[in-house]
Amino acid sequence: LHVAVAGTGPFTFQWFRDATPVGTNSPVLEIPSVTLADAGAYTVRVTNSVTHTTSAPGAVAINPALAVTTAALPRATVGRPYAHDLAATGGISARAWSLLASVLPAGLELTADGRIQGTPTAPARAALTVRVADASGFATAALQLDVRPVGGFATDPDLVLHYTFDE
């Protein structure tokens, strides 16, 4: 935060967050490691040899870091429509979702607004890394999406049955 002062100096400066004195005798208040506790209304009292004045408050909002909150994906079934919205918290602006070095099962897509949708066309187990980004940065999460056949998996979606016929 910075205050510009005109008049007869020298000046002294006292910064306040809400009613608590913070900072040093400087027209600039720096917050080296911002935390959620730094949020609040900031004012500065400027004093010279004649008088003092206090600035109008300036609000400082601290948003939590962007984080993916989806921990697991529901299973999909071949031939049945699937839709699931990914979730995130924190950040400061509109979010955009994407996949990192991952491929969704055939028939499914990830939209920029974080929806996995479509109709899967084949059984699969996909290990996914989803990424959400906004103006504050990005966050990633590892997820797994299983697509089962219409009848479901007996025990393991990676199971492949091989038959040998003798004559």
Side-chain angles (χ1 to χ4, degrees):
L1 302 170
H2 180 86
V3 64
V5 180
T8 305
F11 301 104
T12 61
F13 304 87
Q14 177 60 63
W15 289 90
F16 298 87
R17 180 183 66 248
D18 301 319
T20 305
V22 295
T24 60
N25 184 17
S26 171
V28 176
L29 175 64
E30 293 185 18
I31 305 171
S33 295
V34 176
T35 68
L36 293 175
D38 293 317
Y42 284 78
T43 58
V44 61
R45 176 181 289 149
V46 181
T47 305
N48 67 7
S49 62
V50 178
T51 189
H52 65 83
T53 187
T54 301
S55 70
V60 174
I62 310 297
N63 292 329
L66 185 61
V68 177
T69 57
T70 301
L73 296 172
R75 284 185 292 192
T77 302
V78 171
R80 294 191 183 146
Y82 180 88
H84 184 76
D85 292 319
L86 300 175
T89 59
I92 60 173
S93 61
R95 300 177 178 129
W97 292 84
S98 59
L99 290 173
L100 290 179
S102 304
V103 178
L104 282 165
L108 297 176
E109 67 175 349
L110 173 61
T111 65
D113 63 351
R115 176 171 273 232
I116 298 174
Q117 65 185 18
T119 302
T121 59
R125 171 172 279 171
L128 309 171
T129 301
V130 296
R131 179 181 192 264
V132 61
D134 72 3
S136 71
F138 69 91
T140 61
L143 299 170
Q144 179 175 300
L145 177 57
D146 287 335
V147 178
R148 60 185 172 180
V150 174
F153 295 123
T155 56
D156 185 343
D158 293 326
L159 180 65
V160 177
L161 298 176
H162 296 277
Y163 292 96
T164 303
F165 295 97
D166 293 328
E167 295 196 53

